[in-house]
Amino acid sequence: MSARDSHGIDISLAQWSLNQALSTGVLNHLDFPAYAKNTCGIEAVEYVNSYFKDKAKDKAYLDEMNTRCADLGVFQNLIMIDGEGNLGDPDDAARMRAIDNHKKWVDAAVHLGCRCIRVNARSSGTWDAQSQLAADGLRRLAEFAAPMNIHIIVENHGGLSSNGNWMRETIERADHQYVGTLPDFGNFQVGENPYGANWFDRYLGVERMMRFAQAVSAKSHKFDDKGNETGTDYERMLRVVVRSGYRGYLGIEYEGDRSMEREGILKTKALIERVLAGM
């Protein structure tokens, strides 16, 4: 699927799907777009900043990324940002440093023609305090990014951000048109025990976040012999996505057996295409 389907959904590939290959040097960061296009048949990519951590200000390197994608006809949709500090840090100075640390990635996103950067909403304290602090950091970063038309989007990615109700409340509190979400199908664990009440309902969580979604992460781990993902009912989940009115990229993020990254990506792609075609 290289073009928007009848629901307005296209498929992109999240770089984290190839974490093993990239971390071990089997695949070079610069070769990721070619892998997405030539091996997986996917024409849009989502970067992870840790794979080119020291290159955010390296214009020659970013130019090379642009050249490779232009030659391939691959769209660079977003950059996922980690390791730059907590945007909801209770310490005002630390929160301001985190905001400043993210600004170079906004600039890099502009250089690459991306639409968004994905950030985290980490904080500490009570429910309400964390919501207020995270909303403050997100809004301040969005005020910087908005003139460059870069959206600041938050993933459910641990802590209170894995609670769909907290996420909706926090995005509403940020109250900025350039603050949005990246709902992830699988990151709704809200406690240490990975069972039962320690999970926020993933379908409800994605539904809570879809109103603000600028990208969506199709998380996958394992498949049965019919090609269905064993942890997420993709038909049910994609109905949540489509019924929200979302039009945009659905990013494959395979996190299963790292010795089978290519197979996992292709199985996720086939599943998405099959489910959307059947709707």
Side-chain angles (χ1 to χ4, degrees), residues 85 116 199 242 277:
C116 321
W199 280 80
V242 170

Side-chain angles (χ1 to χ4, degrees), residues 180-198:
T181 61
L182 188 157
D184 183 296
F185 292 175
N187 289 350
F188 287 103
Q189 185 176 340
V190 292
E192 293 300 322
N193 188 328
Y195 301 101
N198 288 280

Side-chain angles (χ1 to χ4, degrees), residues 1-259:
M1 180 183 294
S2 59
R4 294 272 164 103
D5 79 330
S6 61
H7 303 289
I9 304 294
D10 200 356
I11 293 177
S12 54
L13 180 61
Q15 198 169 21
W16 189 255
S17 298
L18 292 158
N19 179 54
Q20 176 73 10
L22 287 156
S23 298
T24 59
V26 172
L27 180 67
N28 184 278
H29 168 75
L30 288 171
D31 295 325
F32 167 58
Y35 188 97
K37 173 74 176 284
N38 299 330
T39 302
C40 304
I42 297 172
E43 298 180 350
V45 293
E46 301 178 0
Y47 296 118
V48 177
N49 73 325
S50 59
Y51 298 122
F52 60 121
K53 187 78 171 183
D54 59 343
K55 305 296 186 182
K57 297 181 179 181
D58 187 334
K59 292 187 177 180
Y61 190 88
L62 299 179
D63 284 342
E64 179 64 18
M65 291 171 65
N66 279 336
T67 297
R68 295 197 183 202
C69 285
D71 289 346
L72 290 160
V74 169
F75 176 61
Q76 301 169 105
N77 188 39
L78 61 87
I79 311 172
M80 297 186 177
I81 313 302
D82 297 303
E84 295 291 3
N86 296 336
L87 291 172
D89 200 300
D91 181 272
D92 289 346
R95 191 165 68 261
M96 295 306 109
R97 282 195 301 271
I99 294 166
D100 286 340
N101 288 345
H102 282 77
K103 289 179 179 178
K104 62 180 177 290
W105 292 109
V106 173
D107 291 335
V110 173
H111 197 102
L112 295 173
C114 297
R115 296 177 50 256
C116 321
I117 65 167
R118 186 279 275 151
V119 302
N120 298 296
R122 294 193 178 95
S123 185
S124 60
T126 65
W127 171 292
D128 193 58
Q130 290 193 51
S131 180
Q132 290 188 39
L133 290 164
D136 178 72
L138 293 168
R139 183 172 55 252
R140 289 174 186 269
L141 183 58
E143 287 169 352
F144 171 79
M148 291 171 275
N149 202 31
I150 299 295
H151 291 261
I152 306 302
I153 59 175
V154 189
E155 181 182 358
N156 46 306
H157 203 205
L160 282 176
S161 77
S162 290
N163 184 305
N165 292 330
W166 184 89
M167 279 289 285
R168 182 172 67 177
E169 179 180 318
T170 300
I171 301 303
E172 288 176 342
R173 179 171 268 154
D175 192 25
H176 197 290
Q177 63 176 333
Y178 277 82
V179 175
T181 61
L182 188 157
D184 183 296
F185 292 175
N187 289 350
F188 287 103
Q189 185 176 340
V190 292
E192 293 300 322
N193 188 328
Y195 301 101
N198 288 280
W199 280 80
F200 190 90
D201 182 275
R202 68 185 64 203
Y203 308 98
L204 179 61
V206 170
E207 182 181 344
R208 290 280 192 269
M209 297 171 66
M210 283 307 304
R211 172 183 163 194
F212 312 99
Q214 291 291 327
V216 178
S217 183
K219 180 67 62 63
S220 61
H221 293 90
K222 189 177 180 180
F223 300 86
D224 63 21
D225 57 5
K226 295 182 179 179
N228 294 311
E229 216 283 332
T230 59
T232 299
D233 180 338
Y234 261 62
E235 182 172 353
R236 180 180 176 187
M237 189 65 86
L238 290 181
R239 287 193 183 280
V240 171
V241 172
V242 170
R243 286 172 178 171
S244 74
Y246 175 75
R247 301 292 182 266
Y249 286 97
L250 190 62
I252 292 172
E253 191 172 44
Y254 174 71
E255 285 192 350
D257 186 339
R258 286 303 177 188
S259 68

